[in-house]
Amino acid sequence: MRFVLDNCVNRNALAFFGSFEVQHCIDLGWDQLSNGELLASASGNFDVLVTVDKNMQFQSNLKGLQICVTVLDVKGNFPDELQAAIQRLLANLEVLKEGEFVVIEP
């Protein structure tokens, strides 16, 4: 499974994905893309877009896109909070479905 982290996710979170393939949108040169452009670019290249943007699911449409968007419902963007949320995400990979938003709650 291939993950891409949204610009709003602390880059230190890259370390919490273990052996999974994960990249940050900054490293891909995608940090200036709008949400729609980011989703279109990631679709088909990554399986999951990970974000902390709780509004993305209300502002974006995944219809026709080959990606799942996972919203980490954390209070801040600090490594310890992200690590716990990412551990929950990785423990529940079966809930990730292409074309859907999934919220990972504390």
Side-chain angles (χ1 to χ4, degrees), residues 28-69:
L28 297 167
W30 295 353
D31 52 313
Q32 299 299 314
L33 298 179
S34 68
N35 284 345
E37 293 168 329
L38 176 59
L39 290 168
S41 296
S43 177
N45 294 305
F46 293 91
D47 302 301
V48 182
L49 171 70
V50 179
T51 187
V52 294
D53 181 353
K54 295 175 183 118
N55 292 318
M56 185 182 278
Q57 63 184 327
F58 306 110
Q59 299 169 341
S60 302
N61 185 346
L62 299 181
K63 186 175 182 175
L65 297 180
Q66 298 174 316
I67 194 157
C68 173
V69 176

Side-chain angles (χ1 to χ4, degrees), residues 1-105:
M1 187 164 284
R2 298 184 65 204
F3 296 89
V4 62
L5 304 184
D6 193 359
N7 189 43
C8 58
V9 177
N10 187 317
R11 289 184 81 223
N12 292 324
L14 289 167
F16 304 139
F17 284 85
S19 62
F20 286 96
E21 186 174 343
V22 59
Q23 291 187 279
H24 199 282
C25 70
I26 290 174
D27 299 323
L28 297 167
W30 295 353
D31 52 313
Q32 299 299 314
L33 298 179
S34 68
N35 284 345
E37 293 168 329
L38 176 59
L39 290 168
S41 296
S43 177
N45 294 305
F46 293 91
D47 302 301
V48 182
L49 171 70
V50 179
T51 187
V52 294
D53 181 353
K54 295 175 183 118
N55 292 318
M56 185 182 278
Q57 63 184 327
F58 306 110
Q59 299 169 341
S60 302
N61 185 346
L62 299 181
K63 186 175 182 175
L65 297 180
Q66 298 174 316
I67 194 157
C68 173
V69 176
T70 301
V71 180
L72 303 179
D73 188 7
V74 293
K75 292 181 183 176
N77 198 11
F78 303 104
D80 59 332
E81 292 181 43
L82 292 171
Q83 183 175 19
I86 291 167
Q87 287 174 344
R88 283 191 308 279
L89 164 65
L90 297 178
N92 293 287
L93 293 176
E94 71 279 355
V95 303
L96 305 181
K97 306 284 188 242
E98 183 179 288
E100 293 184 6
F101 285 93
V102 175
V103 178
I104 303 295
E105 297 179 346

